[in-house]
Each structure stands twice: as C-alpha cells, then as structure tokens.
C-alpha cells in the first residue's frame, strides 16, 4: 500500500531533520561493528518518536516486508549479517548514539533542537514520547483505521 500525502509529508519532515543532522560537523568514527544494534548486549534499546517510526516502517516496507520480525538474540530486528537493513530510514538515535569505540554518543546540546522537532512531530501525530524500536515500528506498520 502506498503512503498517503499526509504520511509522505511527515516522512519528508523527519528526513529533513536527519539531513540537518548529517550536515553537522561531528567527529566520530563508526566502522559499522553493529554492536550498538545488539540491545541485549548493550542494555539499551533506542526509543522512537512516531515520525521516526514512520520513516523506519516505510524503509522496511520498501524492502518488501509487512511485519517486524522477532529476534531470539535480543538484537535489533533490522540487523542482518551485521548490516542495518533500513539504513536510510534508521532512527535518530541510531544516527547519534555512537558507541565508545566510535567516539561516544553526541551530546544533548548537539542534538537538542532536532530532538525537539521530532518530539513536536510526535505530539502532532498523537504520540506521547518515545516507544522502544521494535514496538514503535510494528505499530507504524499496522494498517491505519479508516477515518
Ligand atoms: S535500526 Fe539499524 S542502525 Fe538502528 S539499531 Fe536497528 S540495525 Fe542498528
């Protein structure tokens, strides 16, 4: 099912925030180890706003998927062979929370304004703050009730 105009507009807004972040100079050296994607190992699961979940779900759907798989090892459901399968649509936390080996996470000051914008989108969509990654994307994949 193709996303409607409203969904596409929200996704464009979120992607613009990601693009602004990518354009900011921050010295980190991510080598794609994928350790940060193993939530059971890190003890941290990224929390997503509704707009981020929407963009991640669109990326997952574009890969031909219709649901979010469960993982037995506690890793992110989008991690396969150490690669993120929704890389272009990965959430903000995946773009900013670098592991220690890569130089550590971005500081709150570096990301505050962008997070506020993501939170504003979340509020507009009826969200009440971040939801854990698998749950947030699964909810965004679910068919929306007809108005
Ligand atoms: S969405 Fe991609 S980058 Fe983020 S935790 Fe999952 S596999 Fe890693």
């Amino acid at each position: 099912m193709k996303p409607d105009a409203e969904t596409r507009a929200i996704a464009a807004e979120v992607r613009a925030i990601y693009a602004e972040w990518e354009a900011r100079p921050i010295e980190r050296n991510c080598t794609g180890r994928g350790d940060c994607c193993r939530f059971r190992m890190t003890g941290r699961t990224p929390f997503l706003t509704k707009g981020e979940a929407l963009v991640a779900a669109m990326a997952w759907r574009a890969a031909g998927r219709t649901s979010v798989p469960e993982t037995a090892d506690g890793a992110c459901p989008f991690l396969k062979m150490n690669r993120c399968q929704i890389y272009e649509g990965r959430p903000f936390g995946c773009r900013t929370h670098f592991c220690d080996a890569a130089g550590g996470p971005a500081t709150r000051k570096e990301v505050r304004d962008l997070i506020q914008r993501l939170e504003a989108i979340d509020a507009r969509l009826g969200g009440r703050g971040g939801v854990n990654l698998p749950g947030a994307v699964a909810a965004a994949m679910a068919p929306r009730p007809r108005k």
Side-chain angles (χ1 to χ4, degrees):
M1 194 173 62
K2 276 195 168 182
D4 59 23
E6 186 190 350
T7 302
R8 289 199 304 272
I10 294 162
E13 226 180 305
V14 173
R15 289 195 190 103
I17 293 169
Y18 292 167
E20 273 189 51
W21 169 247
E22 305 298 340
R24 289 186 184 178
I26 170 170
E27 277 199 28
R28 295 293 188 277
N29 182 29
C30 173
T31 55
R33 294 155 52 116
D35 289 355
C36 55
C37 310
R38 299 176 206 288
F39 308 149
R40 192 176 295 159
M41 190 173 97
T42 62
R44 296 179 59 102
T45 303
F47 273 60
L48 277 58
T49 56
K50 276 185 173 283
E52 294 170 85
L54 187 76
V55 169
M58 286 170 84
W60 193 228
R61 271 207 202 92
R65 310 307 178 100
T66 54
S67 62
V68 176
E70 290 193 9
T71 55
D73 61 356
C76 176
F78 307 120
L79 186 70
K80 189 176 179 187
M81 313 276 279
N82 239 21
R83 293 265 162 228
C84 174
Q85 298 178 89
I86 58 162
Y87 193 75
E88 295 305 320
R90 71 198 188 285
F92 193 68
C94 305
R95 297 164 189 266
T96 58
H97 202 91
F98 297 95
C99 65
D100 289 342
T107 65
R108 182 80 190 168
K109 194 174 154 202
E110 286 169 320
V111 295
R112 186 185 293 124
D113 60 323
L114 300 178
I115 287 178
Q116 285 170 348
R117 282 163 57 190
L118 290 169
E119 287 172 345
I121 296 169
D122 186 64
R124 264 167 38 214
L125 294 174
R128 281 182 279 171
V131 173
N132 71 79
L133 185 152
V137 181
M141 299 280 295
R144 287 206 284 174
R146 289 177 186 273
K147 287 183 185 168

